[in-house]
């Protein structure tokens, strides 16, 4: 079960041979205020997974949350198109670290494991007109950073170091590792 409304996460999991049911947690992301961005993104994933897992008895529940660590600041979703423009003017020609918290809960055994994936992102230099055009898309307000490597902003990302899936929203190698800690093989979940 995927505790996320992210179509990119769902697509990535399906492309990897998994077919999770989606239950959006409704977790209040503003309820946590932690100074360490890695702890924050992990605890957001934990909160989402726990909320969805609470009433269940025999499911694996995956919660995730992504944020961009840029210049000492944590950037989640932008609140307005103007904020998208401001952020992209700062991002262009620079780099940041995309953090994705992962929490996996086995409701049958009540076991829980969590970790944070990290990928270095090098941003290109879109011009002001390109930034304005991107800010006008629905994508720009729906993703952390705000950018994607599997959507419209992909042309504005020069390169990444690390797991591309982590940048999209789920690190499949990290998910495999977490599943292993729960005694589950990813291949057992293939459909």
């Amino acid at each position: 079960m995927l505790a996320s409304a992210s179509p990119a996460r769902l697509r990535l999991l399906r492309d990897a041979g998994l077919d999770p049911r989606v239950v959006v947690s409704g977790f209040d992301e503003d309820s946590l205020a932690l100074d360490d961005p890695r702890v924050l993104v992990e605890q957001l994933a934990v909160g989402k997974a726990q909320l969805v897992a609470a009433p269940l008895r025999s499911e694996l529940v995956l919660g995730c949350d992504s944020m961009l660590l840029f210049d000492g600041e944590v950037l989640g979703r932008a609140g307005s198109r103007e904020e998208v423009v401001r952020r992209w003017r700062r991002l262009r020609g620079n780099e940041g670290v995309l953090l994705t918290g992962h929490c996996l809960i086995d409701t049958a055994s009540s076991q829980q494991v969590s970790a944070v994936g990290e990928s270095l992102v090098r941003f290109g230099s879109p011009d002001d007109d390109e930034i304005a055009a991107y800010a006008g898309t629905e994508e720009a307000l729906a993703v952390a950073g705000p950018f994607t490597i599997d959507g419209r902003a992909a042309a504005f990302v020069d390169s990444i170091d690390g797991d591309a899936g982590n940048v999209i929203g789920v690190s499949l190698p990290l998910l495999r590792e977490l599943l292993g800690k729960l005694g589950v093989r990813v291949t057992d979940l293939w459909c």
Side-chain angles (χ1 to χ4, degrees):
M1 185 166 295
L2 177 61
S4 172
S6 168
R9 284 189 183 108
L10 180 59
R11 184 178 59 250
L12 188 62
L13 291 170
R14 284 184 173 158
D15 287 349
L18 308 174
D19 191 24
R21 289 185 298 135
V22 173
V23 176
V24 179
S25 71
F27 184 78
D28 179 8
E29 295 182 8
D30 295 328
S31 67
L32 290 179
L34 301 168
D35 292 332
D36 185 319
R38 288 160 182 85
V39 173
L40 174 61
V41 77
E42 184 172 5
Q43 289 307 304
L44 287 167
V46 167
K48 292 174 181 183
Q50 287 178 342
L51 200 59
V52 169
L56 304 174
R57 297 293 168 249
S58 61
E59 300 279 347
L60 287 172
V61 177
L62 174 64
C64 295
D65 194 84
S66 297
M67 294 183 175
L68 178 66
L69 181 57
F70 178 75
D71 198 23
E73 184 181 355
V74 177
L75 304 176
R77 289 186 190 107
S80 68
R81 300 199 187 287
E82 295 76 23
E83 187 176 355
V84 171
V85 169
R86 283 193 302 276
R87 285 187 186 183
W88 261 104
R89 286 181 176 161
R90 290 178 56 208
L91 294 174
R92 63 181 163 194
N94 291 301
E95 59 186 41
V97 178
L98 194 289
L99 305 172
T100 298
H102 298 66
C103 178
L104 191 62
I105 299 173
D106 180 347
T107 62
S109 67
S110 299
Q111 290 181 305
Q112 173 182 304
V113 290
S114 62
V116 176
E118 298 189 28
S119 301
L120 179 70
V121 181
R122 289 183 192 87
F123 297 99
S125 297
D127 63 33
D128 286 344
D129 290 338
E130 291 171 316
I131 290 172
Y134 182 66
T137 67
E138 293 302 315
E139 175 185 297
L141 295 176
V143 296
F147 74 96
T148 61
I149 62 167
D150 63 338
R152 294 174 190 256
F156 304 155
V157 175
D158 283 350
S159 65
I160 62 167
D161 286 342
D163 178 18
N166 187 65
V167 179
I168 295 169
V170 177
S171 170
L172 294 171
L174 183 54
L175 175 59
R176 180 180 161 270
E177 180 183 318
L178 293 176
L179 284 165
K181 289 180 179 181
L182 297 178
V184 178
R185 289 177 178 244
V186 71
T187 54
D188 295 337
L189 300 176
W190 286 350
C191 7

